[in-house]
Amino acid sequence: MVALSKTVFIDRGNRDNAMIAFEAAAKHMRTERQSVYIFPEGTRSYTAKPEMLPFKKGAFHLAIKAQVPIVPIVVANYSNVLHMQSRRFSAGKIPVKVLPPIETKGLSAANVDDLLHRTREQMVNELVAIAELARGQRVALSGKEASEANGAASGVEHHQGAERRGAQAVAAT
């Protein structure tokens, strides 16, 4: 199943192997017009607040190396749906928003920090906005609350340019 999805695993513990895998992934993205989904926080965050962990640089190096746009996808915090500490999983809807693509053409490794910070800032701002839209508070909606909110933030909303065909790096929370 993993082979069919064209999943690329990066061994972050071994820098040399990670760099080889990133180079191969960038080449594949360019030649096969393959999109890549990367979670730039590096791990899941289970906070109920609209916060994000610090971003790792790898996704941004890859996007620049492949010279493909980043399409940020923001998912509201879902601690009321999946609460790991209490091992509770409840029904509910989680707001998701796809932001406009961020171009990387012409950027180099020297631009990674700026690209990371710009992308993270846009994503954090949107995370706060969709959380507030969802319930006027900073948590995801339950299924009933989402229905009552007219579905405004309970489904997937995307930017018009995000569905165009072609390779892209996708930063998702």
Side-chain angles (χ1 to χ4, degrees), residues 78-83 87-94 142-143:
Y78 50 86
S79 61
N80 72 312
V81 175
L82 175 62
H83 194 268
R87 297 180 182 228
R88 186 186 79 234
F89 185 72
S90 307
K93 293 185 179 181
I94 302 168
S142 69

Side-chain angles (χ1 to χ4, degrees), residues 11 13 19 25 27 33 60 69-70 78 84-85 89 92 104 115 118 126 130 137 139-140 146 148 154 158 162 170:
D11 179 5
M19 296 308 288
K27 181 179 178 185
R33 299 179 55 84
F60 303 93
I70 295 172
Y78 50 86
M84 292 304 291
Q85 289 81 5
F89 185 72
T104 66
L115 180 63
R118 284 188 296 124
E126 191 59 41
I130 63 175
Q137 295 181 6
V139 296
E148 291 171 359
S154 61
H158 64 274
V170 180

Side-chain angles (χ1 to χ4, degrees), residues 14-168:
N14 184 322
R15 180 170 166 64
D16 292 337
N17 287 348
M19 296 308 288
I20 292 167
F22 265 55
E23 186 64 44
K27 181 179 178 185
H28 187 76
M29 290 170 70
R30 286 188 304 268
T31 60
E32 302 297 322
R33 299 179 55 84
Q34 175 71 42
S35 294
V36 175
Y37 289 88
I38 297 176
F39 300 87
E41 292 173 279
T43 188
R44 290 181 183 93
S45 170
Y46 296 107
T47 181
K49 300 173 187 170
E51 301 173 337
M52 296 175 78
L53 297 171
F55 281 7
K56 309 283 187 213
K57 294 182 181 183
F60 303 93
H61 278 289
L62 179 60
I64 289 173
K65 187 172 286 285
Q67 294 287 285
V68 297
I70 295 172
V71 179
I73 300 173
V74 180
V75 180
N77 301 95
Y78 50 86
S79 61
N80 72 312
V81 175
L82 175 62
H83 194 268
M84 292 304 291
Q85 289 81 5
S86 66
R87 297 180 182 228
R88 186 186 79 234
F89 185 72
S90 307
K93 293 185 179 181
I94 302 168
V96 175
K97 180 141 186 205
V98 179
L99 302 181
I102 300 169
E103 193 55 62
T104 66
K105 282 188 180 155
L107 298 183
S108 70
N111 304 111
V112 166
D113 288 338
D114 178 61
L115 180 63
L116 180 151
H117 293 296
R118 284 188 296 124
T119 303
R120 188 176 187 285
E121 182 177 339
Q122 287 180 25
M123 292 178 75
V124 168
N125 289 341
E126 191 59 41
L127 178 61
V128 169
I130 63 175
E132 290 174 353
L133 178 63
R135 191 168 80 180
Q137 295 181 6
R138 300 180 199 286
V139 296
L141 292 175
S142 69
K144 182 180 178 200
E145 291 168 323
S147 296
E148 291 171 359
N150 239 358
S154 61
V156 174
E157 184 177 332
H158 64 274
H159 186 266
Q160 287 181 331
E163 66 274 343
R164 69 179 172 217
R165 302 227 179 248
Q168 57 198 17

